[in-house]
Amino acid sequence: MRRVWWLLALAPLVQAAEPVSSMVREQHYMVYGRTVDDIRRSIIERTPVRNARGSFAANTKSHYKTTYRLVPVSQTGCALRNAAVRVESVVTLPQLAPGTLPPAIAVEWRRYYIALRAHEYLHVESGRESARTTQQWLASMKISGPCHQARPHVRVAIEAYIRKLDERDQHLDAITDHGRAQGAWLGDRVR
């Protein structure tokens, strides 16, 4: 059995099938309160965004789907063609229940929500950039070895590549303190 060798080169992007496609969907969970403390407490209690590090007011999850064709170019050679990447992002945000709020609380909620949503859409754009980078990387991939041996290795390489790119989101949260540095916090002094 011949070994499959991967040669990844940054060759011209002649094999890209189409521009990256993306879809964004927002989902909301209801929070309640007439004071900043009540709203903050409601977010903590009601958020569906939880992991080992804690709970968060919002989140963006991006899922990637790659398509491509492996085409035999000889008995022992294979080429990757028609690479395309689709990213689907789901943005989870709090939604304040309708009701009459004191004017200062209403202004603070709007300021916070706009900043939080803007931060999450930076994650959406990061997902799009990851998809574009992945598609370019795939289009430049050079493969040696027969296609039937290459297929599982291509899939593993794609998954590893996307995981590496997803570190960009972790870095964004680290440098912005999950959006706090961009204004995604509810002010304590608002009454």
Side-chain angles (χ1 to χ4, degrees), residues 26-32 39-50 55-59 91-97 109 112-113 116:
E26 282 189 18
Q27 62 185 20
H28 295 85
Y29 63 96
M30 197 63 68
V31 295
Y32 302 88
I39 295 168
R40 191 180 296 123
R41 193 172 18 262
S42 185
I43 289 170
I44 292 168
E45 291 171 359
R46 300 181 60 80
T47 182
V49 184
R50 300 178 190 283
S55 60
F56 300 91
N59 185 46
V91 179
T92 302
L93 294 161
Q95 179 176 342
L96 188 58
W109 172 258
Y112 164 73
Y113 182 82
L116 184 63

Side-chain angles (χ1 to χ4, degrees), residues 31 99 128 142:
V31 295
R128 288 179 180 142
K142 302 293 180 197

Side-chain angles (χ1 to χ4, degrees), residues 8-17 80-81 83 135-142:
L8 304 178
L10 296 176
L13 306 177
V14 296
Q15 296 300 324
L80 191 142
R81 302 277 192 258
Q135 184 166 312
Q136 291 170 354
W137 174 76
L138 278 170
S140 68
M141 183 182 276
K142 302 293 180 197

Side-chain angles (χ1 to χ4, degrees), residues 29 36 40 43 55-59 92-94 108-123 172-173 176-188:
Y29 63 96
V36 166
R40 191 180 296 123
I43 289 170
S55 60
F56 300 91
N59 185 46
T92 302
L93 294 161
E108 178 62 10
W109 172 258
R110 277 191 298 276
R111 183 206 59 77
Y112 164 73
Y113 182 82
I114 289 168
L116 184 63
R117 188 172 185 271
H119 173 77
E120 292 308 318
Y121 273 81
L122 288 177
H123 287 292
L172 173 63
D173 279 335
T176 66
D177 190 19
H178 297 276
R180 286 183 62 79
Q182 299 166 305
W185 49 271
L186 283 166
D188 289 326

